[in-house]
């Protein structure tokens, strides 16, 4: 195995998925779904073995780059989603939200200021609200 590609992140993740699928397939053993999952786990394991022992470095590197690009975009999507929800929680603690009675524009005011007079930025209506 001197000139083989070796074990990389894609192979590691495929092997982890194969183990998880294998465990699930044993809980469903005897059913068609269990057999399909067992076959899928075996296929993934064989694919990991093939990638690890392959001599085609450029092809395996291209596969890894493609996987890291897709995994990175998925990771950044969930990171943005999580950060956005955390920012929403922080702003909801700091501000009181309400709507203009005339135009239904969503407005906010800092919490803890007592009773204040609010002017709508869209229609100019003034009304009083407690923050």
């Amino acid at each position: 195995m001197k000139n083989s590609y070796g074990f990389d992140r894609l192979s590691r993740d495929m092997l982890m998925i194969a183990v998880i699928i294998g465990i699930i397939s044993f809980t469903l053993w005897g059913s068609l779904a269990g057999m399909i999952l067992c076959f899928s786990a075996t296929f993934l394991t064989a694919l990991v073995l093939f990638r690890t022992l392959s001599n085609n470095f450029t092809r395996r590197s291209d596969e890894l780059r493609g996987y890291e690009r897709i995994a990175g975009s998925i990771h950044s999507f969930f990171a943005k989603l999580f950060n956005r929800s955390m920012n929403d929680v922080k702003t909801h603690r700091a501000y009181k939200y309400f709507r203009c009675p005339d135009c239904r524009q969503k407005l906010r005011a800092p919490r803890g200021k007592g009773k204040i007079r609010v002017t709508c930025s869209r229609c100019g209506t003034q009304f009083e609200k407690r923050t």
Side-chain angles (χ1 to χ4, degrees):
M1 310 325 150
K2 187 176 181 181
N3 293 328
S4 63
Y5 179 71
F7 201 72
D8 60 1
R9 182 177 169 199
L10 175 58
S11 297
R12 181 200 66 194
D13 291 353
M14 286 172 54
L15 189 59
M16 287 188 332
I17 290 171
V19 168
I20 292 169
I21 290 173
I23 291 169
I24 293 170
S25 73
F26 282 122
T27 62
L28 301 173
W29 193 250
S31 67
L32 181 63
M35 296 175 118
I36 291 172
L37 287 175
C38 184
F39 175 75
S40 300
T42 306
F43 177 74
L44 273 176
T45 306
L47 194 58
V48 167
L49 187 62
F50 169 76
R51 288 190 84 255
T52 303
L53 298 176
S54 174
N55 293 333
N56 193 348
F57 286 89
T58 57
R59 182 74 178 141
R60 302 296 86 81
S61 297
D62 290 343
E63 291 169 356
L64 178 63
R65 247 189 320 279
Y67 169 72
E68 287 177 342
R69 184 173 17 91
I70 292 169
S73 65
I74 292 171
H75 179 266
S76 67
F77 170 77
F78 283 109
K80 287 178 188 175
L81 185 68
F82 179 74
N83 288 338
R84 187 178 308 134
S85 65
M86 289 306 293
N87 288 338
D88 287 348
V89 168
K90 289 177 185 174
T91 58
H92 274 281
R93 285 186 202 147
Y95 295 99
K96 173 83 174 180
Y97 291 88
F98 40 86
R99 295 202 176 264
C100 173
D102 288 344
C103 67
R104 308 300 297 164
Q105 170 72 24
K106 188 175 180 182
L107 303 168
R108 73 177 187 177
R111 287 189 185 269
K113 299 293 182 184
K115 197 170 190 180
I116 61 170
R117 179 173 292 270
V118 180
T119 303
C120 177
S121 58
R122 182 187 286 174
C123 66
T125 303
Q126 292 187 349
F127 54 97
E128 289 187 4
K129 283 287 185 178
R130 180 170 295 281
T131 58

